[in-house]
Amino acid sequence: DSGVTQTPKHLITATGQRVTLRCSPRSGDLSVYWYQQSLDQGLQFLIQYYNGEERAKGNILERFSAQQFPDLHSELNLSSLELGDSALYFCASSPGGGGPYEQYFGPGTRLTVT
Amino acid sequence: AQKITQTQPGMFVQEKEAVTLDCTYDTSDQSYGLFWYKQPSSGEMIFLIYQGSYDEQNATEGRYSLNFQKARKSANLVISASQLGDSAMYFCAMRGTGFQKLVFGTGTRLLVSP
């Protein structure tokens, strides 16, 4: 158990819909990262938050957005869903915004868009 | 930009034998970190081992060791005394200077047979 929690574990929804994925980092960790794992793209970084502020952005679509709240949990919002958004979405956390910190991953949310 | 290459799509090993999973990387950064993660069929990403670019000793964690050859830009994972529970996908990843996002390779599927 990494200490990072993600809900829900599975999500099935239809094209055009909007969903919210939730992540709670390990106790004491200030950084949260979101990654997408799909068969065709592999594991890709989406976005990082550090202590409530956006720190880095990767290949995140405009239809996707995220935020980190004062209690440090984070939410990833996916809207106008397409079939190609079906993937495993991971949240990871680390203690700092910089430095040689390992990233510990949550169990993931498997999103299926039908 | 960072790039990770894992050239072995699949590896087979017998129980109790050692196995080496290859990873080469490309970066122009002087300071970087290298990681290995295990992903069992259940889907979670399990952190195994970390090597910093300035670490002089190869990292070890139990049965896992990282064979770090900086001049060759390789960071191979060695699993000693393989166990059936080691059957999984293994991902090599790196983080560059000033960037906390992880860049992942395409993974190697390891199958341990009795």
Side-chain angles (χ1 to χ4, degrees), chain B residues 57-77:
Chain B
Q57 306 261 4
N58 285 342
T60 60
E61 289 286 349
R63 294 184 300 110
Y64 304 108
S65 60
L66 200 152
N67 185 359
F68 180 47
Q69 297 188 43
K70 198 169 180 176
R72 298 179 62 182
K73 292 191 173 179
S74 76
N76 298 339
L77 177 71

Side-chain angles (χ1 to χ4, degrees), chain A residues 47-113:
Chain A
I47 196 164
Q48 178 201 359
Y49 278 83
Y50 174 71
N51 205 18
E53 295 193 2
E54 182 184 304
R55 175 62 69 95
K57 226 168 182 175
N59 300 323
I60 188 167
L61 299 171
E62 284 193 12
R63 300 183 286 109
F64 296 0
S65 65
Q67 53 185 323
Q68 186 179 27
F69 295 87
D71 67 353
L72 300 177
H73 91 271
S74 178
E75 292 180 357
L76 179 67
N77 301 295
L78 315 176
S79 61
S80 303
L81 285 167
E82 301 175 0
L83 295 177
D85 298 328
S86 295
L88 189 51
Y89 291 84
F90 286 107
C91 165
S93 76
S94 70
Y101 298 113
E102 298 92 10
Q103 290 184 20
Y104 290 90
F105 281 68
T109 293
R110 186 170 296 280
L111 174 66
T112 303
V113 183

Side-chain angles (χ1 to χ4, degrees), chain B residues 37-50:
Chain B
Y37 286 86
K38 171 185 178 182
Q39 186 176 38
S41 57
S42 51
E44 72 265 35
M45 293 286 286
I46 301 168
F47 166 74
L48 295 178
I49 197 166
Y50 166 81

Side-chain angles (χ1 to χ4, degrees), chain B residues 1-45:
Chain B
Q2 289 85 39
K3 187 177 178 183
I4 293 284
T5 302
Q6 294 181 256
T7 56
Q8 306 156 314
M11 289 286 285
F12 295 89
V13 67
Q14 280 204 307
E15 210 176 358
K16 296 178 188 169
E17 290 185 350
V19 63
T20 298
L21 306 184
D22 294 341
C23 172
T24 57
Y25 61 91
D26 190 25
T27 182
S28 55
D29 292 339
Q30 296 301 309
S31 175
Y32 49 88
L34 295 155
F35 303 77
W36 277 92
Y37 286 86
K38 171 185 178 182
Q39 186 176 38
S41 57
S42 51
E44 72 265 35
M45 293 286 286

